[in-house]
Amino acid sequence: MSDAYGDDFITISDEDGKEYELEVLCTVEYNGVNYLGVCPAGSEDSEELEVSILRVSTDEDGEELLEAVEDEDELNAVYELILFEEDSDEEPEA
């Protein structure tokens, strides 16, 4: 995983070598594992933003890897954490 565009953007490659530019929206921890909330870079319409969750793991060499979350319960728990974090970041209404 390399930061090609700074702190908020990453470029990843799939098994076929196709590269994808992603914007990192948030990072959360769940059960001792870090997850990234990402969307395609340059997504302008926030109302129809397609957010994906990627699990951060490390390989034998200590390099960080990003994996799709396939377990539905794990995915839902991480989405809930992200939504809770976003709600707690908002200013309380007076």
Side-chain angles (χ1 to χ4, degrees):
M1 178 174 75
S2 65
D3 292 330
Y5 297 96
D7 293 337
D8 295 327
F9 294 89
I10 59 174
T11 300
I12 61 172
S13 300
D14 64 12
E15 304 86 32
D16 299 325
K18 183 175 180 183
E19 291 189 346
Y20 298 90
E21 299 169 14
L22 302 173
E23 181 175 2
V24 178
L25 303 173
C26 64
T27 303
V28 296
E29 184 179 332
Y30 173 69
N31 287 342
V33 178
N34 288 322
Y35 296 83
L36 299 179
V38 298
C39 68
S43 299
E44 300 293 326
D45 189 2
S46 62
E47 299 237 348
E48 295 184 24
L49 193 61
E50 183 179 323
V51 177
S52 299
I53 303 296
L54 300 175
R55 181 187 311 114
V56 180
S57 63
T58 53
D59 67 7
E60 298 147 2
D61 299 324
E63 183 177 336
E64 286 188 341
L65 302 173
L66 298 176
E67 306 171 305
V69 178
E70 297 186 17
D71 180 272
E72 194 170 324
D73 291 334
E74 178 183 9
L75 188 62
N76 287 334
V78 174
Y79 269 122
E80 288 293 321
L81 281 174
I82 290 171
L83 291 175
F84 177 74
E85 236 181 48
E86 286 180 3
D87 288 343
S88 66
D89 287 343
E90 294 177 8
E91 294 288 324
E93 292 184 24

